[in-house]
């Protein structure tokens, strides 16, 4: 009897871990990204992310970060990621090399002084970038693959249904944490996509996963 119990126990040890942990290759990951904050809606969005155990990347504007320091800290304290979205939200391709550097460095300094974190990711304002501008930027540039167009559509249901209709594995979803309607759309998007098996992670976590899985980079 003792022998049989020992045998059963050994089998359990061998098989239980592989049963309980889902293989990473089947994970449906998407990255939620927010531009143009922090704003008065950012804190509510973080609370919503917490409610659903999600994480996101916030591309902040430097001159807004400096006047919303508590919110900036809240982004980090809740396991989210902060990235650089320029200091004044200009059309980068219209600027010279010194002005581009200033836009980026001023924002990196503010983020570092408030959170102690040096941002690695950059998203150009208006997505305005070309090859020449790219060469002047010494950060990882992150665009998007699923555009909510929440700046354009005024109805939160329209915003939510666009994102949900177009969703695919490894998507980078672009939203703005500067509109009430974006927050309301998220309240539909998150539970709906979680029910479809998607997990919301920061861009860096999605990127690392893609590298590990040898999926093409962005
Ligand atoms: Zn922007």
């Amino acid at each position: 009897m003792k022998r049989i119990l020992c045998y059963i126990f050994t089998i359990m040890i061998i098989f239980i871990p592989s049963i309980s942990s889902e293989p990473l290759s089947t994970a449906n990951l998407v990255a939620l990204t927010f531009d143009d904050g922090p704003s008065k809606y950012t804190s509510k969005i973080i609370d919503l992310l917490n409610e659903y155990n999600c994480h996101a990347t916030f591309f902040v504007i430097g001159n807004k970060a400096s006047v919303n320091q508590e919110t900036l800290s809240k982004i980090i304290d809740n396991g989210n990621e902060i990235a650089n979205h320029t200091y004044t939200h200009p059309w980068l391709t219209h600027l010279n090399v010194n002005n581009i550097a200033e836009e980026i460095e001023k924002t990196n300094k503010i983020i570092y002084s408030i959170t102690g974190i040096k941002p690695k990711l950059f998203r150009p304002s208006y997505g305005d970038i070309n090859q020449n501008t790219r060469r002047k930027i010494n950060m990882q540039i992150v665009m998007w693959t699923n555009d909510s167009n929440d700046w354009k559509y005024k109805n939160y249901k329209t915003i939510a249904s666009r994102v949900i209709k177009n969703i695919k594995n490894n998507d980078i979803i672009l939203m703005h944490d500067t509109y009430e309607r974006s927050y309301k759309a998220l309240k539909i998007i998150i539970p709906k996509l979680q029910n479809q098996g998607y997990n919301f992670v920061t861009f860096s976590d999605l990127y690392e996963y893609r590298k590990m899985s040898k999926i093409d980079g962005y």
Side-chain angles (χ1 to χ4, degrees), residues 35-37 59 61 85-86 89 123-127 174 176:
D35 285 9
D36 294 3
F59 289 85
I61 298 177
H85 192 49
T86 74
H89 210 271
R123 177 175 282 161
S125 21
Y126 310 105
L174 169 61
H176 295 81

Side-chain angles (χ1 to χ4, degrees), residues 49-180:
L49 295 174
N50 287 346
E51 198 182 312
Y52 287 98
N53 200 21
C54 300
H55 294 111
T57 302
F58 291 80
F59 289 85
V60 303
I61 298 177
N63 65 20
K64 289 190 184 175
S66 58
V67 293
N68 287 291
Q69 301 199 8
E70 269 184 32
T71 310
L72 210 69
S73 299
K74 184 170 175 175
I75 292 172
I76 292 294
D77 292 346
N78 287 279
N80 302 291
E81 182 173 37
I82 292 184
N84 187 322
H85 192 49
T86 74
Y87 189 78
T88 62
H89 210 271
W91 293 89
L92 282 183
T93 57
H94 299 185
L95 299 185
N96 66 35
V97 64
N98 290 335
N99 293 142
I100 292 172
E102 194 185 357
E103 283 283 337
I104 293 172
E105 280 162 24
K106 264 176 101 172
T107 299
N108 280 346
K109 271 186 193 161
I110 285 166
I111 294 170
Y112 183 72
S113 72
I114 299 167
T115 66
I117 289 169
K118 288 182 182 168
K120 294 179 299 209
L121 311 176
F122 176 77
R123 177 175 282 161
S125 21
Y126 310 105
D128 179 37
I129 195 148
N130 56 27
Q131 280 300 55
N132 191 32
T133 314
R134 260 176 202 275
R135 278 196 290 272
K136 294 168 187 155
I137 297 171
N138 192 21
M139 295 179 78
Q140 184 175 358
I141 296 170
V142 179
M143 302 303 269
W144 55 87
T145 61
N146 185 323
D147 191 348
S148 69
N149 276 294
D150 55 353
W151 58 274
K152 188 163 73 180
Y153 296 107
K154 306 289 185 262
N155 185 321
Y156 69 93
K157 289 181 184 168
T158 310
I159 297 164
S161 63
R162 278 180 58 90
V163 171
I164 293 164
K165 184 170 67 114
N166 296 323
I167 199 74
K168 58 190 186 305
N169 203 11
N170 298 310
D171 256 353
I172 304 167
I173 302 166
L174 169 61
M175 298 190 78
H176 295 81
D177 52 326
T178 49
Y179 305 114
E180 174 84 22

Side-chain angles (χ1 to χ4, degrees), residues 16-55:
I16 282 177
S18 62
I19 292 165
S20 60
S21 62
E22 196 183 330
L24 204 57
S25 59
T26 64
N28 290 315
L29 300 183
V30 288
L32 255 182
T33 66
F34 296 96
D35 285 9
D36 294 3
S39 83
K40 61 179 176 179
Y41 302 111
T42 310
S43 183
K44 277 169 76 173
I45 288 173
I46 297 167
D47 293 341
L48 186 66
L49 295 174
N50 287 346
E51 198 182 312
Y52 287 98
N53 200 21
C54 300
H55 294 111

